[in-house]
Amino acid sequence: MEKVYKYGRGNFKSIEDGNELLWMIGNGVGGFANHTVAGGGAQCFHGYLVASLNAPVNRTLILTRTQEIIEIDGREYDLTSQQYIGTSKNGQEYLERFVFDSVPEYMYKVEDINIKKTIAMEYGHNTVVVCYEIENGLDQAKLRIVPLFNYRPSTDVSEKNELKFDMAVDDRKLTLIPDIDKEREIKFYTSEGEFYDRSLIPTSMATPNYLIEENHYYMIDHRTGFLGVDNHYTPYEVQIDLEPFEKKKFYIKCTIEELDNKSGFDIINEYKHRAEKLVRQAGLEDRFANNLVKAADHFIVKRESTGLKTVLAGYPWFTDWGRDTMIAFEGLTLVTKRFDDAREILESFARYIKNGLVPNVFPDKNTEPGYNTVDASLWYFQAVYQYLNYTGNEEDYNFIKEKIYPKLKEIYEAYSTSTDFSIGMDEDGLIHAGGGLDQVTWMDVRVGDYVVTPRHGKPVEINALWFNSLKIMEILAKEFGEDNTQYKELAAKVKESFNKRFWNEKKGCLYDVVDEDDDRIRPNQIWAVSLPFSILDREKEKSIVNVVYKHLYATYGLRSLSFMDKDYKNKYIGKLFDRDCAYHMGTTWGFLIGGFITAYCKVNDYSKDAVWKAEHMCKVFEDTMRDGCINGIAEIFDGDFASTSRGCYSQAWSVAEVLRAYANDVMPYLNC
């Protein structure tokens, strides 16, 4: 049974408390809805309909949210919870409870009126519904619903003079056409009530502009160095009369597609039933794992350019990235038994391989992807290998042989000779990569001409992955009736060179980069232990795990640099430059815990004590899944006292690696 998340008034005693908690749901084509538990916006991304105009990218804010006002016998109660410049509305004081059960549910109480408000997206469509269930009390009352519209990139804010739309009202349907995109129609429908033109509300110099919701202040954006001030368009409100003791159910719908007659309540039920079906399909029968299965679903989306599935690296701003996809692949698609999606993802990225490189990032526009990554192609081998381990049917091997194996050979040829970004093999069989301003490993921050973590040379994880890839090619070549001698012999050479060059006897672990002999203690070495094919002896593997645990383990992941290093940065906060300088210099990364747990269990032979400890390392993530983004795991946390979600509030490889490690390294051994 999966967990339903419930929050009471103690979680939103103040608007600031409520703004620290947020929810997010996706629509399978790159769009999403997200907002705070308090009910207002704390980041520019927060909106009920962030549509993907070119799946899964070009994400655009369409409907910011709906705000509710109750009128009872001349008394007015504004349920809006929002910070503004210099002031705030505290409608969360009427919020009795917030529940997240695959979709968000707000439960308000005003005098003797009860209001339940539920938000859901229609899967596969850029459509959102807001459903209301109301029980009126003793007096006649009126509910006023104010929709806030916009049309801007989800990463931006709007000036008042930019909010220009053509509009038309037809009975219960409102159509808006933004001035900046005359081809786009925003359709808004209400199943109950009447539209009221807000320009008719009396106004003066002392009263607000009722057509613009002005000066939203975004607390979290401001904290990370942005101005965080926004405006939204509010031309109409929906007014609904409530008779004494009347019970009423109705919904509103907003879409940039064709408006149909499907009930909002049906859309909610479909969304929840689909999530439950995914849980049953995964068959893990564990509450923690089931919630991770649901979380994983939001990252698997359709890519318009291929007609196939891809993986969004993180919400709310990342697109589909090759490195992140391949690391998250097993947890998102194989552990969850989404094998059709797995095939599509492998094929989708195969189509874009160029000069032996899997794309690093797909941009928002219809332009060429970026290829500045050395590890995505090597993680691709691992994804293919695990796909066959989970499936293993004749048709799966045929798919790999026909669609994927030629691409693997292309990657092998490129890496064993040379390709872009100074990627190539030296005489010792090891791979070198990068140079100058190029940043091609996952520690890739560059601020102008300042390279924060230059790892040019032979990075440790790249060569562990290279050995892993050669062993996989050795197996596949034999399976497909080809001579595998070249892969076998080169793998042996790489193993010998790796042990000779990377082992740091003084520190009992691996150098991070050679030929520079960078002996900083970083987490990249853990993959030399956790990958399927062992490149080191058990004694060295155990020493590495012990060193990494001491220097890097930080509850919600591994630090990117030892806390004892003179250049260690303990906080990821402040302006972009400050955050970039801390990103890979001590910041804790959630996804790294997966490789560590696998390595930890391996070197301890999956003993009971080791598995129990691994279970603890997984289960502590239940705590962070209750705050930050509900049922998500953030991209990063601070190096010291890792607690507050930083970066993307829900990250594909964070969710995927916790799920993979828990399902593979913990669950099968708990009752042994």
Side-chain angles (χ1 to χ4, degrees), residues 323-457:
R323 174 190 297 121
D324 295 57
T325 296
M326 298 312 147
I327 292 174
F329 180 82
E330 183 178 353
L332 296 186
T333 68
L334 303 182
V335 171
T336 58
K337 296 184 175 64
R338 298 178 66 162
F339 301 132
D340 290 342
D341 292 337
R343 279 192 292 273
E344 288 193 18
I345 291 165
L346 291 176
E347 184 176 349
S348 184
F349 276 86
R351 293 184 184 184
Y352 286 94
I353 290 174
K354 179 181 178 183
N355 299 331
L357 299 178
V358 167
N360 186 31
V361 59
F362 288 92
D364 260 7
K365 306 291 184 183
N366 284 324
T367 55
E368 275 289 299
Y371 287 88
N372 57 322
T373 171
V374 60
D375 48 351
S377 296
L378 301 175
W379 281 112
Y380 192 66
F381 284 88
Q382 174 70 0
V384 172
Y385 176 71
Q386 295 294 18
Y387 169 77
L388 291 174
N389 282 342
Y390 277 80
T391 57
N393 298 320
E394 184 179 352
E395 65 175 295
D396 299 306
Y397 275 92
N398 288 339
F399 163 73
I400 295 299
K401 183 178 181 180
E402 178 185 346
K403 297 285 184 72
I404 308 300
Y405 186 56
K407 294 295 183 179
L408 298 182
K409 290 200 285 188
E410 178 185 329
I411 296 168
Y412 166 75
E413 291 297 332
Y415 276 61
S416 61
T417 52
S418 65
T419 186
D420 303 333
F421 303 102
S422 304
I423 298 169
M425 185 175 72
D426 270 353
E427 292 181 359
D428 57 6
L430 300 176
I431 298 294
H432 60 75
L437 297 179
D438 290 337
Q439 289 286 76
V440 293
T441 72
W442 75 278
M443 293 184 165
D444 57 0
V445 170
R446 192 183 88 194
V447 184
D449 290 339
Y450 173 49
V451 178
V452 181
T453 49
R455 302 183 69 231
H456 306 141

Side-chain angles (χ1 to χ4, degrees), residues 12-54:
F12 37 86
K13 292 176 182 176
S14 69
I15 192 170
E16 290 81 8
D17 291 338
N19 282 349
E20 296 288 353
L21 293 164
L22 65 98
W23 55 265
M24 190 281 296
I25 55 176
N27 67 354
V29 290
F32 60 98
N34 67 147
H35 244 283
T36 69
V37 166
Q43 290 183 280
C44 63
F45 312 99
H46 290 165
Y48 286 4
L49 178 56
V50 179
S52 175
L53 306 186
N54 178 27

Side-chain angles (χ1 to χ4, degrees), residues 39 68 97 187 196 244 318 421-422 443 464 647 664:
E68 293 76 32
R97 197 177 209 189
K187 303 177 184 71
Y196 182 81
F318 286 157
F421 303 102
S422 304
M443 293 184 165
N664 291 349

Side-chain angles (χ1 to χ4, degrees), residues 557-569:
L558 299 184
R559 299 182 184 95
S560 44
L561 182 66
S562 168
F563 70 92
M564 295 184 184
D565 194 284
K566 63 181 178 61
D567 293 322
Y568 170 70
K569 308 292 185 186

